Amino acid sequence: SNADDIPSAMIIDTRGNLYLTGSSEGGSSSYDYLTVKYPSPESEMWPRRFNSGHGNNAIAKLATDVEGNLLAVGSDSSAILIVKFDSTGHLLQRFASYTKDPSQGFFWPVGAAMSRDGTLYIRDENYSVFVFDAQGQHRATWTLPHDLLPYPLAGSFMAVDQRGQLAECPVALAP
C-alpha cells in the first residue's frame, strides 16, 4: 500500500480460504476498503479495493452468504456500506447504502451476521441493529436503551443459528 493499512476483521469460508479486511489509504483518495484473500492450497490470492466516493471508507466486519460470496460491512463518511464479492474477488454489487439520520450520530459497525435466507444483521457502536434483506434493502432498525450498558460498544460477536435466531455477545469497555 501507499501508506496506512489498518486490519479490522477476518473470516474463514467453508473452503478454507482466509479473508482479511480493513482500511487502506489510497494513492489519490482517502481510505478505501481493502480485502485480501489468502487461499487454501488449491486457489489463488487476490486483493480488492473499494471506494464509495464519499470520504473515508472504513470496513469493520465480514460475513459470507450461503453461495460462498463475501460481504464486507463498514461505513463511509455518512452511510452504512455493504459490498459483495464472489469467491474470485469480482465485485458483484454495492449491496446496500443506508444513510443514517444525522441525529443518530456516526455509524461504526461492531458486529455482523447473516442468516441462511440472506438477512443481514449489523450492530453499531450506538446500540442499534440494522436489518437488511437479501436484496440489500433496509428493513428495520432495532435500538436498545442506552442505559443497559453505560459505555459505547467496542465489539459484538454475532451469529444466526439454524432456526434463524440471532445470538449476540456485546462487548463494552469502561474508560
Side-chain angles (χ1 to χ4, degrees), residues 25-140:
E25 193 170 356
S28 61
S29 66
S30 55
Y31 282 91
D32 299 336
Y33 279 12
L34 176 64
T35 302
V36 179
K37 177 181 181 179
Y38 293 94
S40 59
E42 64 277 352
S43 61
E44 296 180 28
M45 182 179 90
W46 51 257
R48 292 296 178 259
R49 296 180 80 85
F50 177 82
N51 187 296
S52 70
H54 296 83
N56 289 329
N57 290 223
I59 192 164
K61 295 293 175 184
L62 293 172
T64 55
D65 66 15
V66 293
E67 285 104 31
N69 298 312
L70 183 72
L71 291 107
V73 178
S75 64
D76 65 13
S77 298
S78 63
I80 298 168
L81 294 174
I82 305 149
V83 180
K84 189 177 195 177
F85 297 98
D86 68 14
S87 63
T88 66
H90 179 266
L91 178 65
L92 294 176
Q93 67 186 103
R94 182 177 170 164
F95 189 76
S97 179
Y98 171 70
T99 304
K100 287 179 58 171
D101 179 331
S103 68
Q104 294 176 304
F106 180 74
F107 171 80
W108 181 250
V110 296
M114 182 172 275
S115 68
R116 297 184 91 157
D117 70 358
T119 301
L120 181 64
Y121 302 91
I122 304 170
R123 166 73 73 190
D124 80 352
E125 67 182 344
N126 296 311
Y127 298 94
S128 297
V129 173
F130 297 88
V131 182
F132 294 89
D133 65 19
Q135 288 72 45
Q137 298 298 310
H138 176 250
R139 293 297 176 204

Side-chain angles (χ1 to χ4, degrees), residues 16-28:
N17 298 300
L18 180 128
Y19 299 89
L20 178 64
T21 195
S23 300
S24 178
E25 193 170 356
S28 61

